[in-house]
């Protein structure tokens, strides 16, 4: 595959590609917002950054187990975050949060459809110009490379088709729509290229590896680079490479404490799951679990090839490498066969490993981070002034560098807008309209009123989750994860009412936050101030803003 940057005619004004040809004075003017500690004046080229993003890879249920090379080459050579979360457990909203550094209520991507703002014309016009790759390219002079799954509706005819190349990318190799392994189409700098089902030339994870290595061989050596590689694995259809299709034959989905049990005292959608699960459902989810791990072995190979090439080209010591996923996944928890979309740890917690300059090896951080922090962190690495952005997240670069006495957040927001169908699901005629993602034995994974918002809180004394549903009950779920890490017991009716009120108020504040107000002190921060009178004056407007079905 010939690696070519965007044709000159496709370059946007303010997006320089050949900055070294500028005069020194002009170069400093263009990069003025990105000097930071890696200033051009100091004669040091700013660090490179690689972001590796998998699709539906859990952390709680052993999703990193197959990735021995990745753990050795990134985790053991840098820092592993044990408390990394996504603000929405669904592909497109989560990926939009990564790119924009914003919570879903601020980027307005609520599901995986065009109507839900996934890669829509509105998204392209309002959000894409302000993503962190667009800033890296236009303001910091980075070469920017994308390969893999972008957003689920990318390439849709009503959204510009495959000719659309988002602002901010020098090299663009994007998958049309959702994850596949064979028989897919790529947009290569705006031109469609179809792939078939020949493993040696078409297996998508390997194609992404090869084109990434090509970029490292043919990129400019005068500008720093940013690479985002978004693999299909381990998303369905879970098609492993031929050499890995017999791996993990004796592996089964973890039988942890919340596996195949009834979701007592939980939202009705969880309670409707049939317990115990049928043998066919268990066999299906075990097979899915095994195949998911098989697909990750090719991702492990990709990471190894990439790190070796960076080392061979002399770039490794000046490159930060981030590894994470867009959301978690469940296989049998609370008798839900397979999916994401729920508020529990298995769906919202993801792997996050980082190596790079100034990061000591074999470090583990318990600090609470979210994927809205990736953009600010990468811009901070580039030396960009974060005050010039409207991002909700925080840079965790000081954590990576081992800063002491660091003031950090104690909570993050998780929000999801449920989806349902206006007609009865044909596989479940006994169920009313409004549900979706139903399995043959009529266990449904989503519904219109599976619409919730949560505060996930971690502090020295508390490990807590508080959630509210936007339904007729205004159903509440609260979990003490110190005593109950599997989130089996909902303590909403037994927790201290004063604490419940504080968590409710904090949730409302986060649901309406934007930029700096998303980083204000949480309930368990000594700086937190609580005025219960504000709960009543603000409650209606805040809930209406977050749970509107017409956000666009």
């Amino acid at each position: 595959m010939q690696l070519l940057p965007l044709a000159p005619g496709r370059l946007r004004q303010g997006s320089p590609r050949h900055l070294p040809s500028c005069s020194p004075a002009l170069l400093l003017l263009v990069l003025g917002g990105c000097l930071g500690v890696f200033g051009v004046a100091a004669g040091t080229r700013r660090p490179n950054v690689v972001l590796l993003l998998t699709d539906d890879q859990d952390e709680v249920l052993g999703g990193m187990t197959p990735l021995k090379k990745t753990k050795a080459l990134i985790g053991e050579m840098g820092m592993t975050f044990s408390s990394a979360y996504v603000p929405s457990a669904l592909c497109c909203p989560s990926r939009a949060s990564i790119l924009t550094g914003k919570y879903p209520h601020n980027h307005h991507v609520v599901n995986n459809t065009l109507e839900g703002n996934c890669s829509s014309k509105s998204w392209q016009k309002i959000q894409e110009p302000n993503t962190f790759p667009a800033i890296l390219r236009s303001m910091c002079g980075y070469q920017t490379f994308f390969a893999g799954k972008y957003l689920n509706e990318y390439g849709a005819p009503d959204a510009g088709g495959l000719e659309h190349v988002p602002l901010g990318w020098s090299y663009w190799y994007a998958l049309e729509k959702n994850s596949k392994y064979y028989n897919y189409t790529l947009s290569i700098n705006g031109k469609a290229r179809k792939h078939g089902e020949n493993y040696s030339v078409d297996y998508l994870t390997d194609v992404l590896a090869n084109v990434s290595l090509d970029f490292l061989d043919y990129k400019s050596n005068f500008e720093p680079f940013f690479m985002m590689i978004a693999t299909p694995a381990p998303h369905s259809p879970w098609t492993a490479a031929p050499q890995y299709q017999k791996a993990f034959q004796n592996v089964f989905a973890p039988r942890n404490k919340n596996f195949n049990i009834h979701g007592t005292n939980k939202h009705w959608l969880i309670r409707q799951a049939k317990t115990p699960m049928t043998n066919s459902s268990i066999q299906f989810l075990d097979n899915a679990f095994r195949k998911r791990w098989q697909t990750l072995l090719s991702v492990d190979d990709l990471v190894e090839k990439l790190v070796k090439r960076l080392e061979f080209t002399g770039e490794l010591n000046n490159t930060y490498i981030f590894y994470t996923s867009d959301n978690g996944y469940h296989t049998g928890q609370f008798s839900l066969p397979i999916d994401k979309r729920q508020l529990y740890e298995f769906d919202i917690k993801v792997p996050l490993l980082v190596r790079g300059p100034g990061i000591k090896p074999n470090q583990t951080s318990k600090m609470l981070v979210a994927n809205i922090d990736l953009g600010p962190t990468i811009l901070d690495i580039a030396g960009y002034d974060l005050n010039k952005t409207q991002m909700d997240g925080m840079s965790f670069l000081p954590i990576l560098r081992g800063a002491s006495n660091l003031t950090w957040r104690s909570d993050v927001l998780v929000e999801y807008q449920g989806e349902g169908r206006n007609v009865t699901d044909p596989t479940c005629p006994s169920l009313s309209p409004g549900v979706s993602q139903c399995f043959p034995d009529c266990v449904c994974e989503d519904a219109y009123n599976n619409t919730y918002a949560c505060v996930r809180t971690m502090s020295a004394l508390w490990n807590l989750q508080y959630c509210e549903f936007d339904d007729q009950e205004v159903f509440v779920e609260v979990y003490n994860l110190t005593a109950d890490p599997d989130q089996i017991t909902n303590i909403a009716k037994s927790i201290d009412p004063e604490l419940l009120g504080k968590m409710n108020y904090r949730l409302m504040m986060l649901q309406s936050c934007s930029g700096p107000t998303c980083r204000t002190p949480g309930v368990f921060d000594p700086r937190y101030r609580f005025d219960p009178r504000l709960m009543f004056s603000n409650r209606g407007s805040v809930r209406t803003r977050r749970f509107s079905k017409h956000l666009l």
Side-chain angles (χ1 to χ4, degrees):
M1 180 181 293
Q2 186 179 9
L3 188 72
L4 296 172
L6 291 178
R10 297 191 68 90
L11 293 176
R12 279 81 165 180
Q13 187 176 1
S15 302
R17 203 177 93 235
H18 297 295
L19 287 175
S21 63
C22 299
S23 67
L26 179 59
L27 181 60
L28 286 173
L29 178 64
V30 171
L31 301 183
C34 287
L35 294 181
V37 294
F38 302 107
V40 175
T44 303
R45 203 184 84 181
R46 283 152 296 134
N48 312 305
V49 182
V50 177
L51 173 58
L52 295 154
L53 179 65
T54 55
D55 197 349
D56 287 1
Q57 185 182 357
D58 67 274
E59 194 276 338
V60 171
L61 301 179
M64 284 298 298
T65 303
L67 293 147
K68 295 180 179 179
K69 301 172 187 175
T70 301
K71 290 187 288 186
L73 293 170
I74 303 179
E76 292 176 16
M77 298 303 296
M79 183 174 288
T80 299
F81 287 84
S82 60
S83 302
Y85 290 86
V86 296
S88 188
L90 190 63
C91 298
C92 205
S94 181
R95 288 164 184 263
S97 287
I98 291 173
L99 291 164
T100 63
K102 297 177 181 179
Y103 283 120
H105 69 261
N106 287 328
H107 61 58
H108 306 303
V109 178
V110 297
N111 57 43
N112 291 342
T113 68
L114 278 178
E115 295 76 16
N117 203 25
C118 182
S119 202
S120 68
K121 288 287 189 180
S122 174
W123 157 267
Q124 294 169 18
K125 180 180 178 180
I126 298 172
Q127 301 297 340
E128 280 186 345
N130 298 303
T131 61
F132 79 85
I135 296 172
L136 283 176
R137 183 180 179 187
S138 65
M139 300 303 296
C140 304
Y142 271 66
Q143 303 167 84
T144 53
F145 168 91
F146 182 88
K149 176 180 171 179
Y150 178 57
L151 301 175
N152 294 56
E153 283 295 323
Y154 172 74
D158 292 343
L162 294 173
E163 293 182 1
H164 171 68
V165 177
L167 186 70
W169 298 101
S170 314
Y171 299 81
W172 182 252
Y173 291 79
L175 176 69
E176 180 183 30
K177 296 195 174 182
N178 207 357
S179 282
K180 291 184 178 181
Y181 299 82
Y182 294 109
N183 298 310
Y184 55 86
T185 301
L186 291 178
S187 169
I188 302 180
N189 296 334
K191 295 184 178 180
R193 176 175 294 177
K194 292 186 177 181
H195 281 260
E197 50 189 16
N198 182 339
Y199 168 71
S200 63
V201 294
D202 296 318
Y203 189 70
L204 182 55
T205 305
D206 291 350
V207 169
L208 299 180
N210 292 335
V211 74
S212 299
L213 299 182
D214 286 345
F215 168 76
L216 291 176
D217 287 341
Y218 297 110
K219 65 177 177 57
S220 165
N221 291 323
F222 297 99
E223 303 156 339
F225 61 83
F226 168 70
M227 303 176 70
M228 184 171 178
I229 306 166
T231 73
H235 195 285
S236 62
W238 315 307
T239 309
Q243 67 270 29
Y244 295 134
Q245 290 179 359
K246 294 184 179 180
F248 308 120
Q249 289 302 302
N250 296 320
V251 168
F252 301 90
R255 269 46 172 180
N256 51 359
K257 290 183 179 179
N258 55 23
F259 179 84
N260 199 16
I261 67 169
H262 186 258
T264 306
N265 295 322
K266 288 177 168 52
H267 190 246
W268 76 267
L269 184 67
I270 308 301
R271 298 197 306 268
Q272 58 86 36
K274 290 181 173 62
T275 305
M277 291 184 287
T278 62
N279 290 335
S280 60
S281 287
I282 293 176
Q283 184 177 5
F284 173 74
L285 69 86
D286 277 336
N287 189 50
F289 187 90
R290 190 176 304 116
K291 287 184 174 181
R292 283 164 50 80
W293 275 22
Q294 291 170 355
T295 67
L296 285 169
L297 293 175
S298 292
V299 177
D300 212 28
D301 292 340
L302 182 157
V303 172
E304 180 184 41
K305 293 173 186 175
L306 190 72
V307 171
K308 285 185 175 179
R309 186 61 57 89
L310 286 167
E311 185 174 26
F312 177 77
T313 59
E315 299 277 8
L316 184 59
N317 291 337
N318 194 39
T319 301
Y320 287 87
I321 305 176
F322 294 73
Y323 182 98
T324 191
S325 173
D326 59 0
N327 50 254
Y329 207 70
H330 58 258
T331 46
Q333 283 62 47
F334 303 122
S335 299
L336 298 171
I338 57 165
D339 199 44
K340 49 258 186 177
R341 295 178 171 85
Q342 307 307 331
L343 58 88
Y344 308 104
E345 293 284 281
F346 41 74
D347 284 358
I348 64 173
K349 193 173 182 180
V350 293
L352 177 59
L353 290 65
V354 191
R355 68 170 289 172
I359 306 176
K360 295 179 180 179
N362 288 307
Q363 298 293 303
T364 299
S365 174
K366 297 180 180 179
M367 301 297 263
L368 181 61
V369 297
N371 72 8
I372 58 171
D373 301 328
L374 290 170
T377 302
I378 292 169
L379 289 177
D380 200 8
I381 289 170
Y384 188 73
D385 182 359
L386 298 180
N387 292 324
K388 296 181 178 180
T389 75
Q390 298 297 314
M391 294 182 175
D392 304 331
M394 305 166 63
S395 169
F396 55 81
L397 183 58
I399 297 176
L400 294 174
R401 292 180 176 163
S404 58
N405 299 321
L406 182 67
T407 300
W408 194 249
R409 68 155 69 90
S410 60
D411 56 26
V412 293
L413 175 69
V414 178
E415 48 190 352
Y416 179 71
Q417 187 160 302
E419 293 182 84
R421 301 177 62 185
N422 291 325
V423 296
T424 300
D425 191 301
T427 62
C428 301
S430 62
L431 296 175
S432 300
V435 296
S436 64
Q437 306 295 320
C438 297
F439 285 80
D441 50 357
C442 294
V443 176
C444 298
E445 296 268 4
D446 207 359
Y448 280 133
N449 68 355
N450 183 40
T451 296
Y452 58 81
C454 307
V455 182
R456 183 68 179 89
T457 293
M458 299 184 72
S459 69
L461 297 177
W462 289 95
N463 186 2
L464 196 70
Q465 185 178 26
Y466 172 93
C467 302
E468 285 186 15
F469 284 82
D470 184 38
D471 57 13
Q472 292 180 344
E473 298 178 87
V474 190
F475 195 82
V476 176
E477 294 189 29
V478 184
Y479 298 98
N480 178 354
L481 283 96
T482 300
D484 180 23
D486 295 294
Q487 296 171 289
I488 294 172
T489 305
N490 178 7
I491 61 172
K493 294 182 179 179
S494 61
I495 197 169
D496 183 341
E498 181 180 354
L499 177 57
L500 203 66
K502 288 182 178 181
M503 294 298 291
N504 171 268
Y505 176 64
R506 179 60 177 161
L507 177 60
M508 290 189 293
M509 294 302 98
L510 284 176
Q511 284 182 269
S512 61
C513 76
S514 179
T517 61
C518 296
R519 306 189 288 272
T520 53
V523 171
F524 298 101
D525 190 299
R527 301 168 296 163
Y528 179 75
R529 297 293 178 266
F530 172 59
D531 183 351
R533 293 172 298 179
L534 296 177
M535 292 176 59
F536 303 99
S537 62
N538 286 344
R539 183 180 180 87
S541 62
V542 173
R543 287 187 63 83
T544 300
R545 175 175 179 176
R546 167 57 185 88
F547 291 126
S548 169
K549 295 293 190 294
H550 304 284
L551 287 172
L552 302 184

